[in-house]
Amino acid sequence: MAALWILGILLALIVAALFLRVGVRIAFGDELRVTAAAGPVRIQIVPSPPKKPKKQKKHKEKKNPPEKQKAAPREKRKLGLTPGDIRSALPYLWQSLKGALRRTRQRLRVDPLRLSLVLGGEEDPAASAETYGWISTAVWTFMPRLEELMRIPDPYIHLDVDYSAAETKAEGEVGLSFQIRDLFTIGFAFGIPVLKWLLRWKKEKKLREEAQKAKNPEKLQETVTNDEKSA
């Protein structure tokens, strides 16, 4: 009987955790502020709150141990995604993301959403204007879809170009909250298609590299043959 009570309490705790609403709020501009929330609890992450000074303990003098040889740092492997690969993946990833967000039934809430981006166009006005057009198209294309899939009660996005300024200025505040179960929902509905795409992309990349290696000896042989004929 006691085991059933313990099992019931554990299941109740798991269900309560899955339905717990958590979130993060980010404000940027003159200063970066990041606050995390779990239910009624709020924790400031950036800037980190001041720590209380610890009492210094007296340490006995110890002999310096022999210095250990540091292992050589491992080289980080780059994924090798090209801009073309990213552009080709965007439609597929967007469709997967839409399917994942639909399954959350608008439990994801974005509030507040206040963004201001002013591009500096003093150095290259044409490039700044082109960037402004690209960003505007992306924002006004995706925002209506996102408002259908998530709760965004009062969005505010300001885009502009200042041709007298050299630097780009960005400021705003974004808050995102969701239930923990939504992470599992999005993870299965979006993470699995992304993993499949990555595996397919790696296979295609490997085939392209093997084909490129197979072509190089032929080009080298042609060059040698042409040199022998000219001699």
Side-chain angles (χ1 to χ4, degrees):
M1 189 66 180
L4 292 177
W5 274 103
I6 294 172
L7 182 59
I9 291 171
L10 289 175
L11 290 175
L13 290 175
I14 292 172
V15 172
L18 290 175
F19 283 82
L20 178 66
R21 181 162 284 273
V22 297
V24 63
R25 190 164 182 162
I26 302 172
F28 58 93
D30 297 333
E31 182 186 13
L32 176 63
R33 298 192 308 275
V34 181
T35 306
V41 180
R42 300 287 185 275
I43 302 173
Q44 182 177 307
I45 300 175
V46 179
S48 57
K51 297 181 179 179
K52 295 181 180 180
K54 296 181 179 179
K55 293 182 180 179
Q56 294 182 354
K57 296 181 180 179
K58 294 182 180 180
H59 297 280
K60 295 180 180 179
E61 292 184 359
K62 295 181 180 180
K63 295 181 180 180
N64 294 330
E67 295 184 358
K68 296 181 180 180
Q69 293 182 352
K70 295 182 178 179
R74 295 181 179 180
E75 295 183 359
K76 295 183 178 179
R77 293 183 179 181
K78 295 182 179 179
L79 192 59
L81 281 170
T82 64
D85 294 330
I86 296 173
R87 284 195 298 268
S88 65
L90 283 177
Y92 176 77
L93 298 180
W94 171 241
Q95 292 297 327
S96 301
L97 180 60
K98 284 197 299 183
L101 292 176
R102 284 195 188 97
R103 296 190 180 187
T104 63
R105 300 181 184 277
Q106 288 195 332
R107 288 191 297 268
L108 272 72
R109 180 181 177 91
V110 180
D111 186 31
L113 177 58
R114 294 191 295 272
L115 299 174
S116 175
L117 178 65
V118 180
L119 300 172
E122 184 180 9
E123 295 182 357
D124 194 345
S128 299
E130 184 180 358
T131 303
Y132 170 78
W134 182 83
I135 295 176
S136 298
T137 302
V139 168
W140 306 125
T141 299
F142 291 109
M143 271 304 298
R145 304 287 181 86
L146 291 176
E147 289 183 82
E148 294 175 0
L149 300 169
M150 298 186 292
R151 284 187 290 166
I152 311 176
D154 189 20
Y156 172 78
I157 300 176
H158 171 70
L159 300 173
D160 202 354
V161 182
D162 187 355
Y163 293 103
S164 62
E167 296 181 355
T168 296
K169 294 182 179 179
E171 59 182 5
E173 189 173 10
V174 181
L176 173 65
S177 63
F178 50 88
Q179 294 179 356
I180 291 180
R181 58 176 174 153
D182 295 327
L183 292 178
F184 296 96
T185 302
I186 294 174
F188 284 111
F190 180 64
I192 294 176
V194 171
L195 182 61
K196 289 181 178 179
W197 179 84
L198 279 174
L199 293 174
R200 186 171 66 249
W201 171 79
K202 285 185 177 181
K203 186 176 180 180
E204 293 175 354
K205 181 185 176 185
K206 185 178 180 180
L207 292 174
R208 289 197 301 266
E209 290 176 351
E210 290 177 353
Q212 189 66 26
K213 288 179 181 179
K215 289 180 181 179
N216 288 336
E218 295 177 1
K219 291 182 179 180
L220 181 62
Q221 184 64 32
E222 289 178 1
T223 305
V224 173
T225 304
N226 293 332
D227 291 340
E228 289 175 355
K229 288 181 179 179
S230 60

